[in-house]
């Protein structure tokens, strides 16, 4: 188990390095000059050239990538030029480790902006994740155990109904009718736990989390149902039934354990993508999380902020993939041998 974990960690570190390099090549090798978007409408050729040198855009892509990696572990200083620092010491900006860059568009450090938005996206993602995982696995297993009955058809039909509607439609419906017209819940305005307490924090997440959960719930119900039915047809389960084991023990110790293996992979990757911010849901409910930040950065061509967000989100997916693989080894020992 230890050797397997070490191998996955090493491969994950290699993937992280390759991912950061590819990100820099894609964004900084584009034909559009990133320095052109650093000074707004008051750009002059001299100011563009000065910003290009101050931000390191005049260096080759590999040099910029190496400086970025160095900033993560040792920090950086902007402008990254001694002559410019001596000419205007009052404009020097310190970016302590881990430094993900500096955005001249918003005049802020990339990591500071991401940290201020991350709690919103994390709260929304975790709340939605718990809702769809618990509901999806429970309803899917119920449908499988009652295959062919009215309950099975009702659960499958419900999942098809929610799966047919796009996320923005569900969000707008809940916001317009449930919150505004019927006033069943308060208007969803994000309130941190430190400001309004746990109850206010949980209340503000009900509608946006439900919007995301209903979309994912449909898929997890159908997948859980299919995996449980497939597991129930295995020979070792027939043997367990023939030995007279209790149905509850067969379900939880044998059937669900086999069915959870593929679900763990999907759940880990889905949660990682949601932690990056659900752009449509955050837009509908006006939640200023990472999804809204990514959309604004792309719209305004805020290259440092976009690169920082992409690297953070990609790192989340890679790390979650490693965690899923390690969980695999606990659920199914055959993975360690493979």
């Amino acid at each position: 188990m230890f050797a397997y974990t070490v191998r996955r960690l090493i491969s994950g570190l290699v993937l992280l390095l390759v991912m950061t390099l590819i990100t820099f090549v894609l964004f900084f090798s584009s034909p559009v000059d990133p320095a052109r978007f650093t000074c707004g409408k008051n750009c002059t050729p001299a100011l563009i050239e000065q910003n290009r040198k101050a931000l390191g855009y005049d260096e080759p892509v590999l040099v910029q990538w190496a400086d970025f990696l160095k900033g993560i572990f040792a920090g950086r200083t902007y402008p990254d030029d001694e002559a410019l620092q001596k000419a205007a010491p009052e404009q020097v900006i310190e970016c302590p480790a881990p430094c993900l860059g500096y955005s001249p568009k918003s005049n802020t450090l990339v990591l500071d902006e991401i940290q201020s938005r991350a709690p919103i996206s994390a709260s929304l993602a975790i709340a939605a994740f718990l809702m769809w995982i618990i509901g999806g696995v429970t309803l899917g297993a119920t449908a499988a155990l009652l295959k062919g009955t009215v309950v099975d058809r009702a659960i499958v039909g419900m999942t098809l109904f929610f799966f047919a509607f796009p996320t923005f439609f569900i969000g707008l419906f809940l916001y317009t009718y449930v919150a505004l017209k019927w006033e069943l819940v308060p208007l969803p305005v994000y309130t941190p736990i430190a400001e309004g307490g746990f109850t206010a924090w949980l209340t503000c997440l009900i509608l946006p989390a439900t919007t995301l959960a209903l979309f994912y719930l449909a898929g997890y119900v159908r997948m859980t149902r299919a995996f449980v039915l497939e597991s129930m047809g295995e020979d070792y389960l027939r043997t367990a039934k023939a030995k007279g084991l209790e149905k509850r023990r067969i379900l939880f110790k044998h059937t669900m354990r086999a069915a959870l293996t593929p679900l763990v992979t999907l759940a880990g990757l889905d949660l990682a993508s949601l932690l990056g911010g659900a752009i449509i849901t955050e837009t509908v409910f006006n939640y200023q999380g990472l999804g809204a930040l990514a959309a604004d950065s792309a719209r305004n061509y805020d290259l440092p902020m976009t690169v920082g967000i992409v690297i953070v989100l990609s790192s989340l997916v890679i790390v979650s993939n490693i965690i899923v693989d390690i969980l695999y080894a606990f659920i199914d020992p055959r993975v360690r041998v493979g």
Side-chain angles (χ1 to χ4, degrees):
M1 182 63 190
F2 177 76
Y4 174 79
T5 303
V6 170
R7 289 199 305 269
R8 292 301 298 122
L9 291 175
I10 293 175
S11 63
L13 289 175
V14 173
L15 282 175
L16 285 172
L17 288 175
V18 173
M19 177 269 299
T20 56
L21 177 59
I22 292 175
T23 302
F24 267 82
V25 170
L26 288 176
F27 283 96
F28 287 96
S29 297
S30 63
V32 181
D33 184 8
R36 173 64 183 82
F37 297 89
T38 59
C39 48
K41 298 180 180 180
N42 300 322
C43 275
T44 62
L47 185 56
I48 292 175
E49 184 61 32
Q50 180 181 348
N51 289 346
R52 183 183 294 110
K53 188 175 183 180
L55 297 172
Y57 295 158
D58 58 332
E59 300 287 349
V61 176
L62 290 179
V63 176
Q64 295 184 47
W65 176 62
D67 291 338
F68 179 83
L69 293 180
K70 179 182 176 182
I72 293 178
F73 296 101
R76 294 183 66 179
T77 302
Y78 294 93
D80 195 9
D81 184 88
E82 294 183 2
L84 293 175
Q85 292 178 9
K86 292 179 180 179
E90 70 281 356
Q91 297 182 4
V92 174
I93 299 173
E94 295 292 339
C95 185
C99 177
L100 295 180
Y102 166 74
S103 169
K105 272 275 188 180
S106 56
N107 193 27
T108 183
L109 298 179
V110 172
L111 184 60
D112 290 346
E113 190 68 23
I114 292 177
Q115 286 178 334
S116 66
R117 306 287 192 101
I120 300 176
S121 296
S123 300
L124 178 58
I126 294 174
F129 176 78
L130 292 176
M131 291 174 68
W132 93 60
I133 266 296
I134 296 174
V137 172
T138 303
L139 292 176
T142 302
L145 294 175
L146 301 176
K147 179 185 177 183
T149 64
V150 176
V151 176
D152 178 28
R153 295 190 182 95
I155 293 176
V156 174
M158 178 196 67
T159 60
L160 291 175
F161 177 80
F162 287 117
F163 197 74
F165 290 103
T167 306
F168 71 87
F169 177 84
I170 297 175
L172 287 173
F173 177 84
L174 293 177
Y175 186 86
T176 304
Y177 288 93
V178 177
L180 288 178
K181 187 174 181 178
W182 299 332
E183 298 181 353
L184 297 178
V185 297
L187 289 175
V189 179
Y190 182 75
T191 306
I193 297 180
E195 296 181 7
F198 179 79
T199 302
W201 171 79
L202 187 62
T203 301
C204 74
L205 292 174
I206 292 177
L207 290 188
T210 302
T211 300
L212 285 175
L214 287 177
F215 178 78
Y216 284 92
L217 177 72
Y220 276 76
V221 167
R222 299 180 68 185
M223 286 184 292
T224 303
R225 180 181 182 275
F227 293 146
V228 170
L229 288 176
E230 182 181 356
S231 301
M232 290 172 65
E234 297 291 339
D235 293 336
Y236 68 92
L237 286 180
R238 294 195 196 89
T239 303
K241 293 177 182 178
K243 289 182 177 180
L245 293 179
E246 296 180 359
K247 292 183 178 181
R248 181 181 301 177
R249 186 178 181 183
I250 295 175
L251 174 64
F252 289 103
K253 188 175 181 179
H254 300 287
T255 306
M256 291 304 298
R257 185 174 183 178
L260 282 177
T261 304
L263 288 176
V264 166
T265 301
L266 297 171
L269 296 179
D270 286 339
L271 177 60
S273 62
L274 275 185
L275 285 172
I279 296 178
I280 296 177
T281 304
E282 290 183 4
T283 302
V284 170
F285 293 95
N286 196 27
Y287 275 33
Q288 299 302 310
L290 289 177
L293 179 62
D296 293 339
S297 301
R299 188 184 304 113
N300 299 325
Y301 204 84
D302 191 347
L303 192 60
M305 191 69 68
T306 303
V307 170
I309 294 172
V310 170
I311 288 176
V312 168
L313 303 190
S314 302
S315 300
L316 283 174
V317 174
I318 293 174
V319 171
S320 67
N321 203 10
I322 295 174
I323 295 174
V324 165
D325 286 346
I326 295 175
L327 289 176
Y328 252 25
F330 282 104
I331 298 174
D332 189 352
R334 293 174 298 178
V335 174
R336 311 175 202 171
V337 179

